[in-house]
């Protein structure tokens, strides 16, 4: 019997909530090097939530992967290529990539992705 992980929306929301730290200073996070693993504002949370839901649904449709903890770097690469194929602006593509980076941090925080697993977004893609 297959395990029910919940909807893509529920999974993405749970992962991003794990790194959402309202009221904490982003400036302090930049100084101590933890800013990359956290979300500080509700606006950023909403933006990344919408982008990551699109990504999770795309992964479910393309790869039949129902658990976002099972997402791997090749899936991200194909998703980013599909964004480029749709002739989206570089700013829009970068927004999706940044959202996936935060999703990766959230997946690790929730324990759905091992801490020592390779990053979902390679450094050369996120630049």
């Amino acid at each position: 019997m297959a395990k029910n992980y919940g909807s893509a929306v529920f999974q993405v929301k749970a992962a991003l909530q794990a790194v959402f730290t309202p009221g904490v200073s982003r400036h302090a996070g930049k100084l101590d090097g933890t800013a990359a693993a956290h979300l500080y504002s509700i606006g950023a949370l909403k933006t990344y939530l919408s982008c990551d839901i699109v990504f999770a649904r795309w992964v479910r449709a393309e790869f039949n992967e129902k658990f976002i903890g099972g997402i791997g770097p090749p899936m991200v690469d194909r998703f980013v290529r599909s964004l480029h194929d749709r002739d989206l602006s570089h700013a829009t593509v970068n927004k999706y990539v940044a959202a996936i980076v935060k999703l990766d941090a959230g997946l690790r925080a929730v324990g759905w992705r091992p801490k020592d697993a390779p990053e979902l977004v390679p450094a050369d893609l996120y630049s």
Side-chain angles (χ1 to χ4, degrees), residues 3 6 8-9 16 25-26 37 39 48 53 55 84 97 99 115 121:
K3 183 172 180 175
V9 174
L16 290 180
S25 168
R26 183 169 186 258
L39 285 170
Y48 289 157
I53 288 170
F55 172 61
H84 283 292
V97 170
K115 303 272 187 210
V121 180

Side-chain angles (χ1 to χ4, degrees), residues 31-102:
L31 291 176
D32 66 15
T34 61
H38 295 284
L39 285 170
Y40 296 96
S41 73
I42 191 71
L45 177 67
K46 287 179 180 180
T47 299
Y48 289 157
L49 184 63
S50 66
C51 291
D52 286 333
I53 288 170
V54 169
F55 172 61
R57 288 179 175 163
W58 182 89
V59 167
R60 185 174 277 189
E62 291 291 316
F63 295 98
N64 198 27
E65 180 63 55
K66 294 180 173 92
F67 178 51
I68 62 172
I71 293 171
M75 296 175 185
V76 174
D77 186 52
R78 283 208 28 211
F79 177 70
V80 172
R81 288 180 195 276
S82 77
L83 295 176
H84 283 292
D85 291 343
R86 292 175 20 205
D87 287 331
L88 296 177
S89 72
H90 291 293
T92 302
V93 173
N94 286 342
K95 179 175 69 171
Y96 278 100
V97 170
I100 295 169
V101 169
K102 293 294 184 181

